[in-house]
């Protein structure tokens, strides 16, 4: 299925949360944003798991979680009521980059989004993530939009 | 509440769908994307209404819908399990721009997001929407991200 032998994808389970947090934190931007207390992550996992529109996908290689993203299906009126798929929190283990794991993860997310009836898949990535930009360009994504954020707290 | 006398905000109801579709289509990009058959919009409205994480906000002035956006609350693991608010499909009636209706709409969305526990609010806007960029800049949004999209059909 993927170019990486033994790589499988599945939905995350609660026991994966510590590994997922470690992956999120092992990142130039993530390391400043993530914490060591697991409680808020477990609470968020439970909230995600309670809503069928969300799924956290994990890529597992030889029993280790090496990639993850969150896929969310969004209903909306625009584009003739088109269902969108939103991808957030994409990570591949830094020491395993260049093997095709990230591309396989995105292909998995797209297949799941398509199977759920989504007509478009979208994501935002920080302007400073130049490697990520080249990655999404290669996979056929178009940077047609600007992504704005505003803290509420 | 807003600087526009008589402007009120409320959640959309099914009877608003024709007005909402007209607002979505009354736009340089929207006019190429929206259709005249209401059935897919009504189906999408029902799907949105069935999920409490979504709300379509409408701004009503003298009985007429003059602004809308869709607000969605997203649970996620990253940023210590922070809940995000996503805004999509923001529109103000073109002939009523410059009165502060759009700013009041965004303030309403932010207040609802904050009340629901969101720590950040985010949106994407097409790179060609220069007026929208200036608008979000003024409201304190930061264009820190690129927004990538890929059609799935």
């Amino acid at each position: 299925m993927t170019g990486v032998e033994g790589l499988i994808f599945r939905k995350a389970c609660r026991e994966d949360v510590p590994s997922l947090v470690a992956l999120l934190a092992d990142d130039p931007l993530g390391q400043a944003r993530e914490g060591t207390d697991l409680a808020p992550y477990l609470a968020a996992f439970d909230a995600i798991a309670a809503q069928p529109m969300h799924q956290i996908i994990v890529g597992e290689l030889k029993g280790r979680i090496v990639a993850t993203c969150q896929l969310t299906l969004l209903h909306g009126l625009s584009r003739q009521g088109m269902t969108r798929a939103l991808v957030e929190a994409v990570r591949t283990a830094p020491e395993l980059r260049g093997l095709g794991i990230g591309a396989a993860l995105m292909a998995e997310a797209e297949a799941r989004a398509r199977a759920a009836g989504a007509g478009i898949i979208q994501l935002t990535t920080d302007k400073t993530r130049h490697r990520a930009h080249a990655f999404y360009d290669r996979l056929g994504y178009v940077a047609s939009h600007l992504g704005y954020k505003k803290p509420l707290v």
Side-chain angles (χ1 to χ4, degrees), chain A:
Chain A
M1 290 291 286
T2 76
V4 181
E5 199 180 321
L7 178 64
I8 58 157
F9 292 102
R10 60 172 174 79
K11 276 185 76 170
C13 55
R14 204 168 196 266
E15 290 65 36
D16 297 324
V17 170
S19 302
L20 292 172
V21 174
L23 256 186
L24 290 173
D26 189 3
D27 173 85
L29 297 175
Q31 63 189 358
R33 297 196 295 231
E34 306 306 337
T36 52
D37 177 10
L38 281 180
Y41 295 101
L42 290 167
F45 182 87
D46 292 341
I48 293 164
Q51 296 184 323
M53 36 128 21
H54 291 301
Q55 48 183 313
I56 298 178
I57 303 172
V58 299
E60 193 177 308
L61 185 64
K62 297 173 187 165
R64 180 187 156 207
I65 291 177
V66 295
T68 183
C69 70
Q70 180 173 341
L71 180 68
T72 300
L73 288 166
L74 298 171
H75 294 286
L77 292 183
S78 65
R79 300 185 188 225
Q80 305 187 43
M82 182 185 281
T83 300
R84 296 159 186 261
L86 175 72
V87 179
E88 290 270 355
V90 179
R91 293 289 189 286
T92 299
E95 71 280 15
L96 295 175
R97 290 207 181 127
L99 302 177
I101 294 173
L105 173 70
M106 294 306 295
E108 177 76 17
E110 289 167 26
R112 289 177 183 235
R114 201 179 278 113
I120 196 166
I121 188 164
Q122 62 188 48
L123 58 93
T124 68
T125 184
D126 196 283
K127 282 181 175 172
T128 64
R129 293 192 190 273
H130 299 293
R131 276 183 65 144
H133 305 164
F135 170 71
Y136 292 119
D137 288 343
R138 276 200 305 280
L139 298 183
Y141 288 76
V142 177
S144 53
H145 284 59
L146 292 178
Y148 284 83
K149 293 187 195 284
K150 181 179 179 177
L152 293 175
V153 285

